[in-house]
Amino acid sequence: MNALQVKNLSVAYEEKVVLKNVNLAIPVGRLTGIIGPNGAGKSTLIKAILNQLPNKSGAVHILERPLNSKDHTVGYVPQRNAVDWDFPTNALDVVLMGRYGHIGMIKKPSTKDKQIAMDCLKNVGMETFADRSIGQLSGGQQQRVFLARALAQEAEVYFMDEPFVGVDAATERTIIAILKDLKAKGKSVFVVHHDLQTASDYFDWMILLNQTITASGPTELTFTEDNLQEAYGGKLFFMDQAKSNKTFN
Amino acid sequence: MNEFWVLLTGSLVGITCGLTGVFLILRKTAMIADAISHTVLFGIVVAFMITQSLSGYWMLIGAAIAGLLTTFLVQVLQSGGLQEDAAIGVVFTSLFALGVLFITLFAGNVHLDVEHVLMGEIAFVPWDTWDVFGFSMPKAVWMLLFVLLLNVLFLVFFYKEIKLSTFDPVFALSIGLPILAMHYSYMTLVSLTTVAAFDSVGAVLVVAMLIGPAATAYLMSKSVSGMIVWSMTFGVTAAITGYYLAKLWNTSIAGMMAAMIGVIFMLVFLFKPHDGWIWKTFKRMKLQKTNIQANS
């Protein structure tokens, strides 16, 4: 079964084409990195898959079905800087928002929902910060709260937009451990990532993107110099370093 | 008895506006309240032109439509590439001007003058009564109670939805929350609140009441629910203290209430423990002093 299938997806903002004719088929249970240079359309791809853009064409299937938010199959971690962290609320409350889809409109969170939220917070090592105002958390802690909120969605397929940006080393390790744990539980995870040095260690599947798909497949087949040069259009400086890092591992 | 009605009206304005204003501050659209408070004039005038009556329901309906129209036009201009503040500025001045023009053209001899709309006259509230189910209360009180009830019901049913769509609309959309419908429902409530309040206190005090108490509450509270309680408290406090000071100094009641909102905001801004301005300045001076001592 495919976790994600995309057919002829194109997105344009006004006159400018951002994604052109994207086709993807990715099996269930993979930890997939979405890699590409700035402006390649990585975040746009996620937003288009999640049906957040009006001006798109093409078809998207998740677990072989068209996306329906009532199925609760999809968990989502938006970019951290997309929200105002001075909003008056605490960490547990934000994680609880991950339960809203399950709770449904009008109804209030139950004790069980609160318990799940607390467990997810514990999962990311943030249980002692449950009552802390989100504005007082560090960037890495805020990112963990966002990850915990996605875990609270109890989804099958997860989409994460740049979860490693601006976080400390400890948070990066926590996040990658959780991603690998999700994969071990048979979930499918898609992560927008731009650090080529760590990419091949983190992901077992890769989508190389630059407005159109350069390559998609298992990491050992797709993460090649030729493919990367094509995606990055010859602007690639890190390749040798990434390779030498690999020999150390 | 008249004093009681004026105090009750003022307090109801404080509670209703305080409640509605919280999400205006959190959604960073405080200025849309300013816009709506002016464009409801347009709605009221058009409602009058169509129905030839000054009855409360038509005014409420006209105002609600005008508020929605304002919100919609601002949204349209924004998605056309204009900044939000510019879009608000263009829309509300045009609609307000149209409202003023229509009054002078078609409604010159009715009780619908611009000064009344801007400043209101809360002192006259007790004499304009409505009988509902054989129960006689000032019209302003009835309207405010009705709108307060709508506001409370909206929050009882959609508290978590409005909170999430305010904090993180992108995530809200991904779990299927109708964020645009939430936006328009909320803006309808802002319009209704505005028109219910401004008949007694005028457009200027409505804006002050919508923004001031909620902004003060934002300084005070670490949760949305806490902010709502503080905001309503500040609104009522400003209304009551404003009334008595106006009586003491024999000045405009609405004006004094608006002034008290400013006073309360300044008090909190300056004296709030830990992050008030004075507290912070004091701490900074202390730190500088210890630094100088350490360096010498």
Side-chain angles (χ1 to χ4, degrees):
Chain A
M1 186 157 69
N2 281 330
L4 172 67
Q5 186 162 37
V6 176
K7 275 185 191 152
N8 297 325
L9 177 72
S10 294
V11 179
Y13 291 125
E14 287 166 18
E15 299 292 284
K16 197 171 169 282
V17 177
V18 186
L19 288 177
K20 210 161 61 189
N21 220 7
V22 169
N23 287 287
L24 290 167
I26 290 134
V28 162
R30 300 292 172 168
L31 182 46
T32 307
I34 302 174
I35 314 277
N38 287 334
K42 303 183 295 275
S43 296
T44 305
L45 176 63
I46 286 194
K47 287 195 177 127
I49 289 169
L50 294 179
N51 214 1
Q52 300 207 332
L53 303 174
N55 41 353
K56 62 154 198 181
S57 61
V60 173
H61 286 80
I62 293 185
L63 298 173
E64 311 286 337
R65 295 172 63 183
L67 182 65
N68 180 354
S69 57
K70 288 187 182 68
D71 293 346
H72 314 305
T73 43
V74 167
Y76 179 36
V77 181
Q79 282 186 15
R80 180 161 55 88
N81 60 16
V83 306
D84 171 18
W85 289 95
D86 285 328
F87 194 89
T89 190
N90 63 37
L92 183 64
D93 215 35
V94 172
V95 180
L96 198 55
M97 290 174 184
R99 300 299 304 159
Y100 285 8
H102 291 267
I103 298 165
M105 296 278 276
I106 298 172
K107 282 169 277 182
K108 289 188 167 50
S110 65
T111 329
K112 188 181 154 240
D113 291 313
K114 286 174 188 158
Q115 191 55 51
I116 292 172
M118 196 64 206
D119 290 345
C120 293
L121 210 49
K122 206 176 274 176
N123 238 329
V124 298
M126 288 283 294
E127 69 273 25
T128 49
F129 294 90
D131 298 329
R132 188 74 64 92
S133 287
I134 54 170
Q136 293 173 356
L137 302 174
S138 72
Q141 289 168 334
Q142 290 171 348
Q143 191 65 59
R144 290 191 210 191
V145 169
F146 256 28
L147 183 62
R149 180 176 70 175
L151 294 178
Q153 291 185 273
E154 295 183 327
E156 291 300 318
V157 183
Y158 288 89
F159 293 90
M160 307 189 181
D161 204 345
E162 302 267 22
F164 297 110
V165 164
V167 304
D168 51 290
T171 299
E172 179 145 359
R173 280 194 297 275
T174 310
I175 295 176
I176 197 66
I178 286 169
L179 297 189
K180 291 196 163 153
D181 184 50
L182 284 173
K183 176 182 139 75
K185 286 177 180 152
K187 316 277 185 188
S188 313
V189 186
F190 295 84
V191 181
V192 171
H193 192 58
H194 67 218
D195 182 7
L196 290 178
Q197 304 195 31
T198 50
S200 58
D201 295 331
Y202 287 175
F203 306 114
D204 64 349
W205 200 278
M206 292 264 189
I207 298 170
L208 296 184
L209 182 74
N210 194 354
Q211 293 193 358
T212 162
I213 300 291
T214 310
S216 168
T219 300
E220 59 275 18
L221 298 178
T222 44
F223 201 66
T224 62
E225 193 165 346
D226 285 349
N227 283 340
L228 284 167
Q229 289 292 2
E230 196 189 332
Y232 281 78
K235 287 178 287 186
L236 197 61
F237 310 113
F238 308 103
M239 201 49 213
D240 297 331
Q241 220 180 332
K243 267 192 194 154
S244 60
N245 266 18
K246 258 206 100 59
T247 49
F248 283 111
N249 288 324
Chain B
M1 196 59 193
N2 285 341
E3 186 170 58
F4 167 78
W5 289 123
V6 174
L7 274 172
L8 181 66
T9 307
S11 304
L12 279 172
V13 171
I15 290 177
T16 315
C17 291
L19 184 63
T20 318
V22 165
F23 284 98
L24 281 177
I25 298 293
L26 291 177
R27 295 167 86 87
K28 304 190 200 314
T29 49
M31 288 331 282
I32 198 103
D34 194 20
I36 289 177
S37 72
H38 285 77
T39 53
V40 289
L41 174 72
F42 172 79
I44 288 172
V45 176
V46 172
F48 172 77
M49 283 162 56
I50 295 170
T51 65
Q52 292 295 314
S53 95
L54 274 176
S55 91
Y57 338 98
W58 291 116
M59 277 173 62
L60 272 181
I61 293 168
I65 293 171
L68 276 179
L69 182 69
T70 311
T71 317
F72 176 73
L73 288 177
V74 168
Q75 198 90 20
V76 168
L77 293 191
Q78 244 185 300
S79 48
L82 214 59
Q83 299 99 314
E84 190 187 16
D85 51 353
I88 289 174
V90 170
V91 170
F92 103 77
T93 46
S94 317
L95 289 183
F96 183 63
L98 265 183
V100 173
L101 275 179
F102 284 176
I103 288 185
T104 45
L105 283 177
F106 306 110
N109 50 357
V110 254
H111 167 70
L112 236 186
D113 60 287
V114 177
E115 196 186 311
H116 177 87
V117 170
L118 285 180
M119 293 309 293
E121 199 33 273
I122 196 169
F124 297 149
V125 158
W127 284 278
D128 190 2
T129 57
W130 267 354
D131 292 323
V132 181
F133 309 122
F135 207 69
S136 179
M137 284 204 296
K139 188 179 101 185
V141 172
W142 281 118
M143 286 196 356
L144 283 164
L145 278 176
F146 172 67
V147 173
L148 177 61
L149 180 72
L150 286 184
N151 271 298
V152 170
L153 286 179
F154 179 77
L155 281 187
V156 165
F157 288 126
F158 301 115
Y159 178 70
K160 73 180 198 304
E161 285 78 13
I162 187 85
K163 187 166 129 185
L164 176 56
S165 67
T166 302
F167 171 62
D168 193 347
V170 177
F171 181 82
L173 199 58
S174 85
I175 63 167
L177 272 191
I179 57 171
L180 210 58
M182 298 298 300
H183 180 65
Y184 282 116
S185 318
Y186 174 63
M187 285 304 163
T188 309
L189 280 178
V190 174
S191 314
L192 291 174
T193 306
T194 306
V195 76
F198 99 168
D199 191 39
S200 39
V201 296
V204 176
L205 181 56
V206 171
V207 183
M209 277 289 193
L210 278 170
I211 298 173
T216 318
Y218 182 77
L219 295 178
M220 290 293 290
S221 180
K222 288 178 176 166
S223 72
V224 178
S225 50
M227 212 177 137
I228 289 173
V229 174
W230 276 115
S231 182
M232 295 196 297
T233 312
F234 289 139
V236 175
T237 312
I240 293 174
T241 53
Y243 174 79
Y244 282 111
L245 284 176
K247 206 173 138 186
L248 183 69
W249 292 327
N250 195 21
T251 180
S252 151
I253 298 172
M256 202 63 226
M257 287 178 176
M260 282 316 290
I261 295 171
V263 169
I264 293 173
F265 179 85
M266 280 315 288
L267 286 177
V268 171
F269 183 76
L270 290 176
F271 294 108
K272 196 198 157 204
H274 304 296
D275 40 11
W277 187 80
I278 287 181
W279 190 283
K280 274 186 189 159
T281 313
F282 183 70
K283 266 199 300 204
R284 197 163 48 231
M285 277 164 61
K286 223 169 121 185
L287 196 70
Q288 273 169 357
K289 220 166 144 188
T290 42
N291 279 346
I292 292 166
Q293 276 166 357
N295 289 337
S296 60

